[in-house]
Structures are given as C-alpha cells and as structure tokens.
Amino acid sequence: MKTVCTAGTPANEWIFFTVSEGNLTFNTGAINGIMCGQRLERFVAFWTLVFIRMVTGLAGEGRSVWKKDPNFSPVSETQMFLYDTFPKEFLWGVGTGAFQVEGSWRKDGKGSSIWDRFVHSEFRDADSTDASSDSYTLMDKDLSALEFLGVTFYQFSISWSRLFPTGVVAAPNAKGLQYYNTLIDSLLYRNIDPVVTLYHWDLPLMLQEKYGGWKNESVIDIFNDYATFCFQTFGDRVKYWITIHNPYLVAWHGYGTGIHAPGERGKITTVYSVGHNLIKAHAKVWHNYKEHFQPYQKGMMSIVLGSHWIEPNKSEDALDVSKCQQSMERVLGWFAKPIHGDGDYPEELKKEFLFLPRFTEDEKKYIKGTADFFAFSFGPNNFKPPNTLPKMGQNLSLNLREVLNWIKLEYNSPRILIAENGWFTDSHVNTDDTTAIYMMKNFINKVLQAIKYDNIDVFGYTAWSLLDGFEWQHAYNIRRGLFYVDFKSEKKERIPKSSALYYKQIIRENGFFPKESTPSLQAQFSCDFSWGITESVLKAESVASSPQFCDSSLYLWNITGDGLLHKVKGVKLKTRPAQCTDFVSIKKQLDLLEKMKVTHYRFALDWSLILPNGDLSVVNRQVLRYYRCVISEVLKLNVQSMVTLYYPTHAYLGLPAPLLQTGGWLNKSTAYAFQDYAALCFRELGDLVKLWITINEPNRLSDVYNRSSNDAYRAAHNLLIAHAMAWRIYDEQYRSLQYGKVSLSLHSDWAEPANPYFESHSKAANRFLQFEIGWFADPIFKTGDYPATMREYIGFKNRKGLSYSSLPSFTSEEKRLIKGAADFYALNHFTTRFVIHEPQNGSQYEFDRDIQFLQDITRLSSPSRLAVVPWGVRKVLKWIKKTYGDIDIYITANGIDDQSLDNDELRNYYLGKYIQEVLKAYYIDKVKIKGYYAFKLTEEKSKPRFGFFTSDSKVKPSIKFYNNLISNNGFPADYSVCNPPNQEKRCSFCLFISQKKPLIFFACCLFSTLILLLTIIVFHKRKRRKRFKAKSIQHICFVF
C-alpha cells in the first residue's frame, strides 16, 4: 500500500489517496504531525492519480452509467453501429452445458444428477430428453461443427456424475474419463483451446439426497475434491477453468422459485445460504488451484456470473438511478462484490436482508480477488421469467455495452470474458434463425464499442450455444444452438443455421466490415437540378384574411359601448383591387419558403374543396383563386411549384363526399370524375405550373381498402386508369400550350433480404418490390399490365387454396391508355425494409405477398422506427433505372421524423447521408435524377415531426444545413461550378425590392414625413430668430 498527499486545502486539511491492489479510496485528515515531502512530489502524485481515476474509475461507481449527458447527440458516432475490427489477439468461442447436449444419461456407468430426476418428475415427455443432441456418442460431429465455425476455444462443462456417479471422489468412471480426455485432446489437435466448467448445475443426485445439496457446507469440500481430480487429470492441457456457471440461477431458481433442479421452493433465507456456500466453494477451489496447480500448469480461473441489465424510467431522477443500482446489486453484485470487490456483500443488500449470512474478516480476505478475470453471462436465462427479477419498477434492457461499463466502474476495470451470450428462437425454427442473427450482430457490436470507445478490456466472446439442446425450464420449447439438431432423428446431424454462417463470417473478419456503403463523393448535381421542399395538402382560405383594403366602407368602433364595428352610412373610401397577399396563410408560406432557399415547392390541392360535389356542377372559384395566388406569389420568389392533384392519407381519403358515398375508388366513375377535376386544374393553373403529380402514393391506399385483397386491387385498378386519363388529357390538350410534365408519386422504399443466407428472403425482397412498386410502375413504364411475377404468385396461392385474391384485367384499350402515361418517375423514399419470407393464409393484400418485416435493432432509427439506411435510396434508384429504363427521376419526398425542436441533428444526419447516396446514383451510376424534394415544410400537431418548421412556424436548425446543400448544389470539392453570375445577383436584389414594396413604400413615406417636419421646425425657428432681431433693433432705436 502506498499513501500520497496533495497540496493543502483552504481548510488546512490534506486529501489522502490510498492505492492498494488497484483500489482507489479517499480519506481526509488534519495536517497536524504529517509531513508529505516536497510540493512538486505532491503535485505529480495528485495528477497521476487523477489520470488513473479518469482511465479506470473508482470501485463502486457503477451508478454513474445511468447519468446521461443532457447534450447527448442521437447521431454520435460512439452510439451508432461500429464498423471496425477486434484486437488481433481476441478470442472467439462457443459454449455448451453437459446436461444440455451430452444425453446418454444412463450410459456407461454415469450416475444420476439432480436434473435427471427433476426432468423425469416435473416434465412431460421425459423420455424425449434422454438423448438430446447426444454429444456423448457424437463427439466427431461436434468437432466438425467447431471446425466449421473457426473458433479459437470451446467452453464446455464436465458432468460431475459422469466422472463420479455418487459425486464423491473415488475411482473415476473409466468411460466418462475417456470421453473428456478424448474431447480435450481432439480440441487441441484442432488448435481449439478447451475452456472447462466444473459445475454447470448438474449436481450428482446422491449429494442432494444425502446432504441436501448446496444447502450443506459439506458439499464445499466434496466439490473441492472433485475439482482437484480434474486439475490433476486435465490441467496439463486446460488453460482456462470455470468453477461454477451462473451461481445466481443455481440459488435463485434451484432453491427459491423452484423452476430449476432440485426444484425446492424454500424460504428466502435458504436461497442466500446456498449463494453463500457457492461463493465459499468457488473461493476454496480457486485457492487450491492457485497454490497447487497454477505454478506449473499456468492456467487461469474464474466463475461465470450472469445478470440482466436495467434502465431508469428517468435518468435524471436520482431515486430511479438508485433503484437500478439496487437491482444490479441484488443479482450481479450479490456474487461479484465478494469475489471481484472487497470480499463482502453489497451494503444495500446487507441492510435490506438482515438474515443475510455474514462473512468473517478472514473469509472476506480469503474470498476477495478469487478470479483471474471477470467471466460474464448475458443471455435469456438472466431475463426469464421476468417476474422473478428485482426490476424495482424500472425497465429491463439488452444493452450489453452498458452493463460492461457498469462492471468496469464497479469492479476496477477487470479483464472480461463474455462467457455466455446469445438469444433464442422458437422450437419450430429450423435453420432460418434470422432474429438470432440480428441479436448476435447487436450484442457483438456492443462489445466492440465497449472495447474501442470505453476502453473496456474484453478479451474473448462465447456464443451460446454450439448446438440445440435441452433448455432447462423451457425443455425443448426453444432453441439456442448455432447448429440445428433434429432430436427425433437417428443421425442427429449438426446443420448450420444462418446464425452459424454469420458468426463464422464475424470470426473470419475479426469484426465488421461495411458491405453496402462506399466512400463519400465530392461532386455536384447539374446546374438545373431542382432543390425542393414538400408539403401535404394546403388548406385553402375561402375568404381573404385581410379584407380591409378591399372594403370601401368606413367603420366606427365601440360607439355604443358594445365593442363592435358600426358602418358609417353614406361614406365611401378609396380602395384597391384584391391582392393575393390578402391571404395571411400565403404570406406565411412565402416567409417559410424564403427561409428554405429552395428552387421548387411541392404541395397538394384539396379536391373536395375545389369540387365539393365531386363534379363540375359546383366549382369553388375562391379556392381556385387561393391556389393560383399561392403559385403566382411563390413564382415571385423564383420558386417553381410542383402541384399534386390528389393527396390521400390513411386518416383522410380526400375524396368529395358524394364520391365517397358511391364507393370511392371501388367505383370506376370516380376515375372519370378525377379526369374532369384534373382538366379543370390544368386549365385554371397550368400556365403557372410546369410539374404535376396526379396522385400521391396510390400504392399505399391498400391500407384504406383493406376489407379484402380484391377491394385493394380494384381500387388500384381504378386509380391507374384515373391517372392515365388525366395524363392523356394534359398530353392532348395542354402540353403544347403549357409545356409541363405529369406523373404520379409512388412510395418506393427499398427492400433488402433480412437474411442474406437464404434464397427465400431474396425472393421475398424482390416480391415486395413487385407488389409495392411494380404494381403501379409496370403498367405505366413498362408493359401496360401488372407484373407477371405478381399475377403468377397470386395464382400459385390460389391453386394452393391459400388465397382467393384476383388481379383485375386491363382491356387492350386500357393497356394502350396506361402504357407510357408518365413523363418522369416520381418516388417518395424514406427507409429500407428488411424482408423475411413468411407464408400467410388469407385473402388480404398483405397476406398475398407472404412477407414480414424485421426491425434491425443495430441501425439508427427515428422515433417512428424509420431505419436510417442511406444506401437503400441508391439501390432503389439503380433498380428503377435497370427495370424501367433511362428515364428522368424526381425524388418527390425524402425525410425523417426528429423529436428535437431546437437541435434536429438526426434530420441533418439523414439529409447529408441520403443526399450523398443520391449524388452517387447520379454521378457514378448515371441515373437521370432531376430533383430532390425534402419532406416536409411544416410538421403537424400530434404527428411524427417531419417538418423543418414546427406547427407554429418556428425555425429548426436543419434548415441551415439544407440551405448549405442547396447553395453548394451537392458536395463540391473546392468551388461550385454553378455560382450565379453578377446579373443574377443583381436580379436577386431586384427581387428583394419587388418583394418588399409595401415595406419600402412605408419607409419612404415615414422618411419624407420626418424630412417635412424637420423643414417646418427649421423654418419656424428661423422666423422666430428674425422676429427677435427686428424687435431688438426697434428697441435700440427707441432708446437712442
């Protein structure tokens, strides 16, 4: 131990830091009688210890993990998926438990264990557990599986009762001894290190019946004798030993809840007594090995401690944080603090449970530090059943990185081996364990982040488990293996699951390499590229909000005390004609657009307001005037409008009421009504509009017409005809005069196979694209008919009796009408969907596709769970070009919801990454992208926050970021090739003058008035001065 002093404090006290075996503690004391050497030595010592504190932390500071930075960024690189490699010496392994996989419970002289009796007394179909994966007789198949993975170690447990049938060390069972010797030798021959667990829950039955199992301290010595035999027999070849696997579960579920063997549902005092004995048993074995075997065998030893993780309801609430700390101390701290801490139980545990057994001071010293590394288990057994966990009213979490940080801070930065990690699938899952891939990806990447960002010393990882086997209280109802085993088969082949293939890839690459993204590109879009902003339906004002300049009457207010305006009869004032700026909402729109600095503005008209009866019998001219005002005023800002005729949503179908009453889009007459509506809009607004969208996302109306698949297909059929008729009207009657372009916007998210190792997932992803995009795009841009794959798949399901869906057929005339009825491809893209093949039965549009979506938990996502997958937009753009030819493309909506009102960093990140991928598609892949429209201008109340402005028009920081992208026209290297010439700059000044005419006129009037007033004042002052002089002269003359 070494004591160091720092410089004196104002209170004339000294702060002492005591460093002992890696622990750092603080003490204060008076200066009296203490000499600490020179000031320089004190200074150096102080900062040395501050550095140690910063790097390693103090023991017992785990609660600081829950203290969140108020300025935390959602797009911090330290929080996102990390593409990097593990240290070169990192160990990759896989594990099993003897009882779970060995089988042969009566074979070759093996004795019974507590689990053998527990299974046969508590479980139905007990006979099915006898063979399990039968690793005892199929060792070669296990070894082949290990070689396939390429692991560096194999963590397995020895069946105590297979070596010593009664549990007491005597002459070992020869067949059992031969099995383990052969296994260890075979592993070493394949350059796989054995990591051997002495006890994984299968206590010999005789010890339970004779002594009461771990309730009796006598078992400690018997366990030590068994361990000694193992060290003597296998220790020359084993370098990593585990004494006990997850003692918390042994005590809590074996002697508390009773869901584990021996199945006792005893008092809480028994549970903690068992835990007490397990700790002492571990310590005794560790000292035994340390003193008698480690000097020449050079191995290391630990105990696997398992735990859950928990997050506070409110990280800023000290009480919630304290409850989380208590929860961790009750599970992990119960065993970790005596062994990895100070040799004793957590203080809170001792205060709460007065019956908790006590360690003597000698026992504390004996137990403290009895582990050469921290072996940690983090898997489903630590979370199930959830009602048995001390959650303390807080929230369970699977954040492995956080719990590793807690261990680091709580126990002085130990070396850590992840001794068990993985998740589970249902028993019916064979080799397609896709969810297990994503759980593994998440867990392993969290370990990598902990190593790279948090400086946590994790030196190995154990995937659990090698094989499907017996899963304790779940029996065979779940699977955890990387290799599938058919328990009913004779050969019990080890068939690699997709998780095995994925783990093999991680081991081979020693980490994660990006497969999809490419380096950032420094380039620009074409100089005529459209930079836009999208808004949904503009609700038109039927009456101008500022009519005072149009009304010639004079009013007096409150002349009778009633607070009302009263018209003065016979008085008429001079007025001016009505102006577009009389509409307050238009002024507001112009103000927002001016701040956006876009070149294009996309918004939608309200069909039901323009034609309330659904036909031309009643036309609301005031609403049409409003929309014309919007377009004309926006043009004064040098902003072109892209106008959407029909913008339905799931909540608001947007059809005039009479059309809704006659069936909406299920009735073909709606298509003809839409044609008339479109023709009216082209005629009234077309001279100002160069880009038209007929219908926004018709491929999403299946959410509305979801009574049956045939309803969805019929509605889509009529929507396609409606669009085509509108396009033909424009093409034949208006294009030659207005020179505009017309298309429809399709929701076009990319689909990626969730499991790259299964062809069925790739087919499902392609099927999604055909059902989602090809459903509308193929008839328009390709054949005039629905995709052949779509018809064939629905037909296949019909023949199987799984669906009664039927796609409508187009007549020859309709095919000619629809084919080619678009001037460009317009897409709304927001995310990438990870698709699973999932057969479904029923006549619904969603069921016909036979797909399910999987949420990749490793990816950055928005509050509405939109995954941020930038490379998806490039892929869908390339797919459109490949499928539909070299056509012009407009991205008519792209954006993400961001909860933040004052620092929407997520939106900035999203825009930067997605536009970068759009640029790659344009510059590298030669996709003819003509414009990009960010979604959206303003957010709506009580909905996901997609807007650049809040619902009350407050500016968000992302506007500035988007402004920069627009002004740079992309990501230029040094300079922009599209900088406007001087003339354009002068025109911009002229534009400013024209926009601010009223304000400038008012300022001029005010200035003129001031000048006039000053002139009058000066004139009167001079006049007074002359008068005064004249009077003075008269007075002088009078005197003389």
Side-chain angles (χ1 to χ4, degrees), residues 702-857:
S702 59
D703 294 339
V704 178
Y705 293 99
N706 57 6
R707 189 178 61 182
S708 72
S709 56
N710 289 336
D711 277 0
Y713 296 138
R714 199 163 97 195
H717 198 74
N718 292 331
L719 281 160
L720 271 167
I721 291 171
H723 159 76
M725 289 194 299
W727 186 88
R728 294 293 171 189
I729 283 284
Y730 189 86
D731 190 54
E732 294 167 4
Q733 298 181 21
Y734 299 99
R735 189 187 303 278
S736 60
L737 300 172
Q738 298 176 356
Y739 305 104
K741 294 181 178 180
V742 182
S743 188
L744 79 171
S745 282
L746 296 178
H747 193 106
S748 304
D749 286 340
W750 179 244
E752 195 73 12
N755 189 332
Y757 304 105
F758 274 81
E759 187 183 1
S760 62
H761 288 240
S762 298
K763 289 181 177 178
N766 182 61
R767 193 162 60 247
F768 170 80
L769 294 174
Q770 295 298 331
F771 272 75
E772 181 87 352
I773 302 174
W775 185 16
F776 282 80
D778 270 33
I780 295 171
F781 296 100
K782 206 170 184 182
T783 62
D785 200 357
Y786 298 116
T789 52
M790 192 175 177
R791 282 198 185 278
E792 289 167 4
Y793 200 78
I794 292 173
F796 161 76
K797 295 201 71 172
N798 287 340
R799 291 191 296 274
K800 293 281 187 181
L802 302 174
S803 172
Y804 298 100
S805 301
S806 176
L807 271 179
S809 296
F810 293 111
T811 65
S812 299
E813 184 181 349
E814 286 173 337
K815 288 180 182 178
R816 286 193 298 271
L817 173 76
I818 294 169
K819 185 178 179 181
D823 300 312
F824 56 90
Y825 188 107
L827 70 146
N828 299 345
H829 176 91
F830 298 94
T831 189
T832 290
R833 316 296 293 271
F834 292 89
V835 178
I836 295 173
H837 172 67
E838 184 72 30
Q840 299 183 66
N841 189 355
S843 298
Q844 294 283 341
Y845 167 72
E846 289 77 13
F847 296 166
D848 285 345
R849 301 181 299 182
D850 281 348
I851 61 170
Q852 287 288 351
F853 300 117
L854 182 141
Q855 186 78 20
D856 184 352
I857 58 175

Side-chain angles (χ1 to χ4, degrees), residues 47 106 123 129 167 193 213 323 326 339 413 427 442 500 594 602 721 757 778 824 847 974:
W47 286 108
R106 292 178 175 176
F123 288 73
T129 66
D193 290 327
K323 288 179 179 179
Q326 290 174 37
I339 295 167
S413 302
S427 58
N442 179 52
E594 193 174 9
R602 182 189 172 205
I721 291 171
Y757 304 105
D778 270 33
F824 56 90
F847 296 166
D974 298 312

Side-chain angles (χ1 to χ4, degrees), residues 21-37:
E21 296 180 20
N23 292 327
L24 198 61
T25 57
F26 293 98
N27 293 297
T28 59
I31 189 175
N32 300 338
I34 298 177
M35 299 297 293
C36 295

Side-chain angles (χ1 to χ4, degrees), residues 246-257 271-272 274-275 278 334-335:
N246 212 336
Y248 171 83
L249 296 180
V250 175
W252 194 258
H253 288 326
Y255 296 86
T257 66
V271 172
Y272 284 100
V274 167
L278 288 166
W334 177 12
F335 294 89

Side-chain angles (χ1 to χ4, degrees), residues 640-678:
Q640 296 278 341
S641 293
M642 176 185 276
V643 177
T644 303
L645 296 175
Y646 179 52
Y647 195 101
T649 65
H650 181 71
Y652 177 66
L653 195 52
L655 286 173
L659 298 181
L660 274 174
Q661 291 165 6
T662 57
W665 288 108
L666 296 178
N667 191 330
K668 195 171 183 178
S669 64
T670 302
Y672 291 99
F674 181 76
Q675 181 188 32
D676 294 339
Y677 162 62

Side-chain angles (χ1 to χ4, degrees), residues 456-514:
I456 297 175
D457 188 7
V458 183
F459 68 90
Y461 176 88
T462 311
W464 203 274
S465 91
L466 176 65
L467 310 170
D468 287 336
F470 180 80
E471 292 300 333
W472 311 114
Q473 74 268 26
H474 303 289
Y476 293 99
N477 294 318
I478 64 172
R479 293 177 180 269
R480 291 190 65 191
L482 298 178
F483 286 80
Y484 171 77
V485 178
D486 182 355
F487 303 118
K488 295 180 180 179
S489 69
E490 238 180 80
K491 294 184 178 180
K492 294 185 173 61
E493 297 293 348
R494 278 68 167 133
I495 304 171
K497 301 180 185 179
S498 48
S499 56
L501 300 171
Y502 185 62
Y503 191 45
K504 178 181 181 178
Q505 175 185 315
I506 292 173
I507 294 171
R508 184 176 65 248
E509 296 176 352
N510 199 35
F512 302 91
F513 287 94

